[in-house]
Structures are given as C-alpha cells and as structure tokens.
Amino acid sequence: MKKYLFAPGPTPIPPEVIQSMSDAVVHHRAPDFLPILEEVREGLKWIFQCNNEVLIFASSGTGAMEGAVTNTLSRGDRALVVRGGKFGERWTGICQAYGVEAKNIDVPWGEAVDPSEIKKALQADPGIKAVLFQASETSTGVAHPVKEIAGIVRNYENTLCILDAITGIGVFDIPMDKWGIDIVVGGSQKALMLPAGLAFAAVSDKAWKFVSKSNLPKYYFNFNKELKNLQKNQTAYTPAVTLILGLRQSLRMLRAEGLEGIFARHETLASATRAAVKAMGLELFAKSPSNAVTAVNAPQGVDGQKIVKGLRDKFKITIAGGQDKLKGKIFRIAHLGFYDRFDIIMILSAIESVLKDLGFNVPPGKGADAAQKILDGVQKPAVCEIK
Ligand SMILES: *Cc1c(COP(=O)(O)O)cnc(C)c1O
C-alpha cells in the first residue's frame, strides 16, 4: 500500500532529492566537497534572506535552538519566552537547562501572542537579553506576528530577537535582515523537503556581539567555531555530507520556483485546506492560522486520535494529532514542503472517508469542492486569512 506523510515534519521528499542523496559519499575534506558546500552556503543565505553565513549542524532542529541560547546568553540572564504551545515550551526548557531565567508570556494555545505584551515586558524589564518565540507554533497551527515582534525588539540594543522558524523558512516571508531578526533557526525535515538531521542558525551582526560575551557551556554547537570554518568553506566537524547533497538539490528546486512562488504556493494550499475544512462543517483550532499546518478541532463526539488512527489504518496516511492537553481534541494537516494541489484534494477526501466511519457525515466531495475553488483561483481566500 502506498504511504503518505501529512505530518508537519518529516515531510515528503521529492524524487530528485532522494536521487541526489544516493550518490557515493564524498569526503568532506576532499576537493569534490568544496563546490557543494559553497553552493549550499549561498543557497541558505538566499532562503534565510540574510547576508551573514548560515551555520549548519548535524542534528535535529532543536540542536540549533539550544545553540542559539548557549551561544548568546550567560548564566543568570533573563529571556522572554512566548509560550503558546509545545515548541514555545521547548525554549523555556532550554533556558532552564542552562541556568537562564525564562520569563514566560503564556499565550492560550491556539492564539497568537499580542505584540504589545512583549513591548510591555521589555519596558518593564529592559535587562531582558532575548525574546524567544516561534514563527509558526507547529503544535497549535498558529502563526505569531514575527514582523511586529522584531520591530519592537530591534529598538533594544541589549536584547536579541531569536526566532524558531523551523516551520516558517520556505513557507512564508521572513526577511531576516530587513526586519532585524537576530537569530533564525531552521531544520531540514520541514519545508526544505529533506530527511531530519540538519539544523541551521542564521546569526545577525548584533547577535555575533552577544556571542563574544556569552559564558554558557557549549562544545559541538559552538557558533564561533562553526563560523570560522564556514568562512574557509569548511565545517568544524564531519558534516552530514549526504544530507548536504540533498540540500543542494532541494535548494536548486526552491530557487527555480523563487521565494514569491514558494510563499504563494503555501498560501494557496493552506487557504484551500482551511476553506475545505470549514465547508466540511469543522472548525479551525488556530485563531491566526499558519500556512505550514492546519489544526482542526475534532468534531463533537469524535476522538481526534481516532481520526489519526483511522487514516493510518485505512489508508497508510500519517497526519498529526494533538499533543498534551490537545490530545484527542484536534488533528493537524501539514502542507509545508513538497505538496501540490492534488495532495490537498487527496487528504481532504481521505479525512471525509474516515470521519464518516466515525459517525460524522460529510457529503462526499464537500471539502474538495471548496478547496478546488481556491486552487483554481475562482474564489479568493477569506479576507481574515490574508496576512
Ligand atoms: C519540528 C520543529 C522543531 C524541531 O524539532 P526537532 O524534532 O528537533 O527537529 C522546532 N520547532 C518547531 C516549531 C518545529 O515545528
């Protein structure tokens, strides 16, 4: 049976990318590797929209999140954390692990943070060294207001704006340099259409000044060491050569599409999914939905976990359920990375089928019909959904 991935990471991988990773392994200190790394470094600057080097680590995305904290902050520093889901909680956990005091802005799950909360917190305590948040809080399907937050933090010379954009990079527009974001973290297994195993950190000039003062322990995730090597077109340790070959290919494909094309594709697929879900009589969970993933409330009387299980058992489709307090309450459909219009139609039709099995009747094709109108450009996305 054919298998399908519709979870917000890992996501499907294009055949060209799989093929590019099946070559014989190149030695990372051999001349053959030099043009590969060089092209990838350029490509990363392009997709992160920054002039500085983008650091590359062999880890899951969390490694670069941890590095962002351990390379810029010091013991006893205070950091403001937007905590509105599992990934916001991760920032808090990393801070606590290293003796950084996390001051949490608790946002109800499903809502975006109000930027004025950040403004107030920084006014009350200008000694806060960093604001840590997500571009897209994958656990709730929420997009936080990145531009507004960056605009506030950039007025504070001694505060960094540190963004987990693991489900934002390659999905929607995050012009790092233009908006003055200090660290942008990315990961390979989301919109970059690769397996898990690469983490990225783009670091601003302002953040590099913090790096020279930071006293937290670090060894593998040492930003300075990685930068010095990248500037010589090397990496400090053995890079994940095979994944970097894949990354070169996925970046070529993304470049051919162009940033605007990439963002428009995600906007269209996400809008179509949201319209379809509503047409099916379901409700969106996120009040400010991200174009990376659509979180949907399980209909009354239906256990969301059963929808996830039904899709897996019946169709070998993997979607994501809700985590923690959202377990059984929501399900999440990913549309970041290697997806096209027919993938969306397919997942909608599969969900209709499983909902029917669980006693929630949707007239067949209702979701696909609504989605198609948006995919065909016949109907514009609802105004409130245009960010
Ligand atoms: C996937 C993801 C991460 C990284 O998780 P890893 O399992 O460490 O790769 C971090 N933040 C967000 C918002 C994510 O979606």
Side-chain angles (χ1 to χ4, degrees), residues 179-191:
W179 289 355
I181 307 167
D182 295 303
I183 297 189
V184 176
V185 173
S188 54
Q189 79 275 29
K190 312 278 170 112

Side-chain angles (χ1 to χ4, degrees), residues 29-48:
R29 306 291 180 212
D32 285 359
F33 191 60
L34 297 179
I36 297 168
L37 186 58
E38 196 160 351
E39 183 177 338
V40 161
R41 283 167 54 213
E42 277 312 307
L44 285 172
K45 288 181 193 174
W46 168 76
I47 193 105
F48 277 78

Side-chain angles (χ1 to χ4, degrees), residues 49 144-154 161 163 172-182:
Q49 302 191 62
H144 286 302
V146 177
K147 186 181 182 185
E148 287 77 6
I149 296 171
I152 292 164
V153 182
R154 74 188 303 177
C161 176
L163 179 66
F172 46 87
D173 196 21
I174 307 173
M176 171 176 180
D177 287 357
K178 195 165 139 202
W179 289 355
I181 307 167
D182 295 303

Side-chain angles (χ1 to χ4, degrees), residues 8-9 59-63 65 87 90 134-139 164-167 185 187-190 196-198:
S59 75
S60 85
T62 305
M65 290 174 72
F87 292 102
R90 190 165 298 182
Q134 269 67 37
S136 173
E137 172 51 81
T138 316
S139 65
D164 163 5
I166 294 177
T167 47
V185 173
S188 54
Q189 79 275 29
K190 312 278 170 112
L198 290 178

Side-chain angles (χ1 to χ4, degrees), residues 17-128:
V17 174
I18 293 176
Q19 203 176 9
S20 72
M21 295 187 294
S22 62
D23 263 350
V25 170
V26 177
H27 192 278
H28 58 288
R29 306 291 180 212
D32 285 359
F33 191 60
L34 297 179
I36 297 168
L37 186 58
E38 196 160 351
E39 183 177 338
V40 161
R41 283 167 54 213
E42 277 312 307
L44 285 172
K45 288 181 193 174
W46 168 76
I47 193 105
F48 277 78
Q49 302 191 62
C50 68
N51 269 317
N52 284 353
E53 288 293 339
V54 180
L55 310 179
I56 308 168
F57 297 99
S59 75
S60 85
T62 305
M65 290 174 72
E66 180 165 332
V69 170
T70 60
N71 282 271
T72 56
L73 303 181
S74 294
R75 200 163 279 279
D77 277 353
R78 295 183 300 286
L80 198 61
V81 177
V82 173
R83 194 165 63 165
K86 289 300 285 177
F87 292 102
E89 287 177 356
R90 190 165 298 182
W91 279 131
T92 304
I94 294 169
C95 288
Q96 286 169 347
Y98 286 96
V100 168
E101 188 193 328
K103 299 183 83 173
N104 301 303
I105 295 185
D106 281 310
V107 180
W109 287 27
E111 290 179 23
V113 68
D114 176 353
S116 71
E117 295 270 324
I118 287 159
K119 200 171 191 172
K120 265 190 272 171
L122 289 177
Q123 275 165 355
D125 181 1
I128 286 169

